[in-house]
Amino acid sequence: MRRISQSWRQGAITVTVLALVGYLALSVIADGDRLMESLAAIGWGRLALVLMLSLANYALRFWRWQLYLGWLGHAVPAWRSLLVYLSGFALTVSPGKAGEAVRCLYLRRDGVPYSTGLAMMFVERLLDLIAILVLASFILLARRDLAWTVGFFALCVAFGLVVLHNRRTPGLLVALGARFGARAAGVADWLSTTLMHARELLRWGRLVPVLAIAILSWGAEGVGVWVLASAFPASPDLVFSIGVYGLAILAGAAAVFLPAGLGGTEAAMTGLLLAAGLSLPEAVAVTLICRLATLWFAVGLGAVALLWLEYRGGDGEDLGKARPAELHPGEASQ
């Protein structure tokens, strides 16, 4: 049976412990007694509703994942594909969410090349970023001073799309790699193959529907912020709340080396809710429950799926060991 390597387990545990310490510190700053009152005001009903909105987010994104597999000519049984997709959430708390690439390792058993799996993940991340930008722009209706933040990310995304759609990009990658020896040439060839798979998924006829799915899925979690904040008299309206969520996620994404944007997302969300009129204990309560019902709920579901694949899925070899050999460019393009 496949086993998760010790380093991966230790990394996940370390990040979780650090997050708990950070949340405890935030609770102390927010005045523990008043924070508990704010959490009680939100109540179990709102928490349940936000969890359902998160499930809607995951369901829509899984639907998009299935579309990608079909468009690239791969048929993976739906139940197994769902487990594989959810398993990536277990390692969301890794810098840049790189740990989610575990999906590619599991999909290899179903005949999906690594380059294809990585292309799917790359396009998924790109479209998620565009969707979050759209949601973050909602806040500009009330805070035009934040336009530069949204504009910066929009320019980065626009540049990336231009590079991706340029037919010369794969060839330029191969030519550049050839200048730095055989190893670099192999990596460049593999990246070129991955890029071509990504371009296949970014055709305009496919881009529009999957982008709509992304906006709806992440918008559901933005609605969750509004649901939580509605427990308080000074709660922001729905549009502003969605914008708060989008901009907070962007703040976390900017700190790419922080696992799942931990720290950056929480600070931005709390600050924006304070600016909207909530008190510090109220803003912290909304932030903590939002992260519990989105990020940590996903991590929990992912851990269950990962354990199922490890011990019931019959997936073979150790994870997290000898990855460079498995991801060798020559094999990846098979």
Side-chain angles (χ1 to χ4, degrees), residues 120-180:
M120 290 168 57
M121 286 191 57
F122 172 76
V123 173
E124 181 184 46
R125 194 72 67 245
L126 177 64
L127 293 185
D128 284 347
L129 179 58
I130 295 175
I132 292 295
L133 275 168
V134 172
L135 299 179
S137 68
F138 288 8
I139 206 170
L140 299 182
L141 296 175
R143 293 287 304 274
R144 295 185 181 277
D145 57 307
L146 296 174
W148 68 270
T149 305
V150 178
F152 170 75
F153 280 98
L155 286 174
C156 291
V157 170
F159 176 76
L161 285 173
V162 169
V163 171
L164 282 172
H165 279 95
N166 191 322
R167 295 181 180 276
R168 299 173 58 189
T169 300
L172 290 173
L173 275 175
V174 173
L176 182 63
R179 295 186 177 187
F180 296 94

Side-chain angles (χ1 to χ4, degrees), residues 72 74 99 107 126 145 155 167-168 226 232 264 284 303 313 317:
L72 293 175
H74 298 285
L107 284 176
L126 177 64
D145 57 307
L155 286 174
R167 295 181 180 276
R168 299 173 58 189
W226 174 72
F232 308 109
V284 170
E317 52 200 89

Side-chain angles (χ1 to χ4, degrees), residues 9-228:
R9 287 197 299 269
Q10 289 178 344
I13 292 172
T14 299
V15 169
T16 302
V17 170
L18 289 175
L20 288 173
V21 171
Y23 292 155
L24 179 60
L26 190 59
S27 301
V28 171
I29 294 172
D31 185 340
D33 291 337
R34 293 182 61 198
L35 175 61
M36 293 304 296
E37 292 175 1
S38 298
L39 291 172
I42 290 174
W44 292 104
R46 287 186 177 84
L47 173 59
L49 180 54
V50 174
L51 288 173
M52 286 190 286
L53 288 168
S54 292
L55 287 174
N57 171 292
Y58 311 150
L60 286 168
R61 289 161 63 191
F62 173 64
W63 177 29
R64 179 181 60 182
W65 180 260
Q66 290 292 86
L67 290 175
Y68 288 163
L69 284 171
W71 288 337
L72 293 175
H74 298 285
V76 180
W79 172 246
R80 175 174 169 79
S81 183
L82 176 61
L83 289 173
V84 169
Y85 185 73
L86 290 177
S87 70
F89 290 159
L91 300 172
T92 293
V93 284
S94 58
K97 298 187 177 182
E100 291 189 11
V102 69
R103 294 169 181 158
C104 304
L105 305 179
Y106 284 124
L107 284 176
R108 190 68 181 90
R109 178 177 178 266
D110 298 284
V112 181
Y114 295 121
S115 58
T116 300
L118 289 174
M120 290 168 57
M121 286 191 57
F122 172 76
V123 173
E124 181 184 46
R125 194 72 67 245
L126 177 64
L127 293 185
D128 284 347
L129 179 58
I130 295 175
I132 292 295
L133 275 168
V134 172
L135 299 179
S137 68
F138 288 8
I139 206 170
L140 299 182
L141 296 175
R143 293 287 304 274
R144 295 185 181 277
D145 57 307
L146 296 174
W148 68 270
T149 305
V150 178
F152 170 75
F153 280 98
L155 286 174
C156 291
V157 170
F159 176 76
L161 285 173
V162 169
V163 171
L164 282 172
H165 279 95
N166 191 322
R167 295 181 180 276
R168 299 173 58 189
T169 300
L172 290 173
L173 275 175
V174 173
L176 182 63
R179 295 186 177 187
F180 296 94
R183 187 179 183 86
V187 172
D189 181 65
W190 175 66
L191 287 174
S192 176
T193 302
T194 300
L195 182 59
M196 286 189 285
H197 286 312
R199 287 177 58 189
E200 184 71 17
L201 297 175
L202 288 170
R203 293 181 182 179
W204 291 112
R206 294 172 175 176
L207 179 61
V208 173
V210 292
L211 181 56
I213 291 173
I215 293 172
L216 285 174
S217 63
W218 289 104
E221 294 196 345
V223 172
V225 173
W226 174 72
V227 169
L228 295 173

Side-chain angles (χ1 to χ4, degrees), residues 237-281:
D237 61 26
L238 175 61
V239 173
F240 187 86
S241 297
I242 292 174
V244 165
Y245 181 77
L247 199 56
I249 295 297
L250 280 182
V256 66
F257 294 108
L258 290 177
L262 285 170
T265 298
E266 286 82 355
M269 186 175 295
T270 301
L272 289 167
L273 290 172
L274 283 171
L278 269 63
S279 67
L280 181 58

